[in-house]
Amino acid sequence: MSKVQDFIDSGILDEYCLGLLLPEEIQEVERMAGLHPAVQQAINKRFQQFKVPEDQSISPDDGLKNRILAQLGESPVFDLNRLPLINTYSDSDQWQRTIASILPTRDFRNLYVHPLREKDGIIQFILWVKIEVQPEDHHDERESFLILEGECECRIGGETVRLSAGDYVDIPLDVEHTVRVLSPEPVKAIVQRVKLTM
């Protein structure tokens, strides 16, 4: 492959068209476009690709989206095919950006579940709750959840905790727990269940 083609394929032209480059990088792209008609043609083609009709929206691929977020000082989104486990240090804003395009596909009375991952003994899903989660306990899997939206009260055994966006809870084994929504909008959470190996 030629150096010109490597330059075209590097991704720098996408960033140029989106206005993400530093001044010296802009000069280099424009210098290359002046020297090599193939670079100018690639720029023109990308501008056409980024031109979106008013009634349509466009989503950048995760690599470009993450570079844009990094420029804005925000943490990148997760790859939906390789989600990390949630824990007490999880960034609820990062999770919220990662799943922003996932919405319930139908109206629901109380609960709506959207699966994210079920592999190697790990289950992760988005849960929307309008009213409550009935009492449950788990004997062979650890459950935890990260609240993304809304406010709720969670009763874990004999203890009651109030939770809102950004809060994380780890449910002990064999302890009954319930959730009651306090906010006018549904609670949206990442729920994780990790199967214990015997």
Side-chain angles (χ1 to χ4, degrees):
M1 218 184 248
S2 72
K3 288 186 178 190
V4 171
Q5 190 60 48
D6 287 344
F7 184 80
I8 291 170
D9 294 339
S10 70
I12 195 168
L13 300 183
D14 291 335
E15 293 177 3
Y16 173 80
C17 293
L18 292 170
L20 299 175
L21 296 181
L22 298 171
E24 59 270 13
E25 293 170 319
I26 292 170
Q27 288 177 345
E28 177 60 15
V29 169
E30 291 173 351
R31 184 185 75 76
M32 289 292 286
L35 292 173
H36 305 283
V39 173
Q40 185 61 56
Q41 289 170 354
I43 290 171
N44 294 342
K45 183 178 178 184
R46 279 168 175 75
F47 272 129
Q48 286 302 315
Q49 289 173 337
F50 289 130
K51 186 176 178 182
V52 180
E54 288 182 26
D55 62 338
Q56 296 178 3
S57 63
I58 187 168
S59 270
D61 67 46
D62 284 342
L64 180 57
K65 187 174 184 179
N66 286 340
R67 290 193 302 276
I68 293 168
L69 289 171
Q71 292 249 340
L72 296 173
E74 295 183 356
S75 51
V77 296
F78 297 121
D79 179 343
L80 286 173
N81 296 313
R82 290 181 284 162
L83 292 171
L85 295 178
I86 60 170
N87 60 51
T88 193
Y89 304 107
S90 293
D91 181 345
S92 62
D93 292 334
Q94 187 174 17
W95 275 95
Q96 186 75 300
R97 286 192 304 278
T98 299
I99 63 167
S101 64
I102 302 172
L103 300 170
T105 57
R106 60 175 172 74
D107 193 25
F108 60 100
R109 179 176 290 160
N110 183 37
L111 301 174
Y112 186 87
V113 174
H114 178 90
L116 293 172
R117 170 185 184 179
E118 187 167 357
K119 187 177 179 185
D120 301 325
I122 299 168
I123 299 171
Q124 290 177 317
F125 53 91
I126 308 168
L127 176 67
W128 286 267
V129 183
K130 287 185 177 179
I131 303 165
E132 66 183 352
V133 175
Q134 293 290 321
E136 63 178 15
D137 58 19
H138 305 280
H139 308 291
D140 62 348
E141 59 188 9
R142 295 200 57 149
E143 182 175 73
S144 54
F145 46 91
L146 177 66
I147 306 295
L148 302 179
E149 294 176 4
E151 190 174 357
C152 63
E153 185 176 85
C154 186
R155 186 155 179 79
I156 305 167
E159 183 183 350
T160 302
V161 292
R162 195 175 183 121
L163 304 167
S164 58
D167 290 333
Y168 169 84
V169 173
D170 196 9
I171 307 295
L173 284 176
D174 299 317
V175 174
E176 187 175 273
H177 52 283
T178 62
V179 175
R180 184 172 62 92
V181 175
L182 302 174
S183 54
E185 73 275 1
V187 165
K188 178 181 175 185
I190 300 295
V191 178
Q192 174 175 282
R193 294 179 179 158
V194 179
K195 195 85 155 164
L196 299 175
T197 54
M198 300 294 176

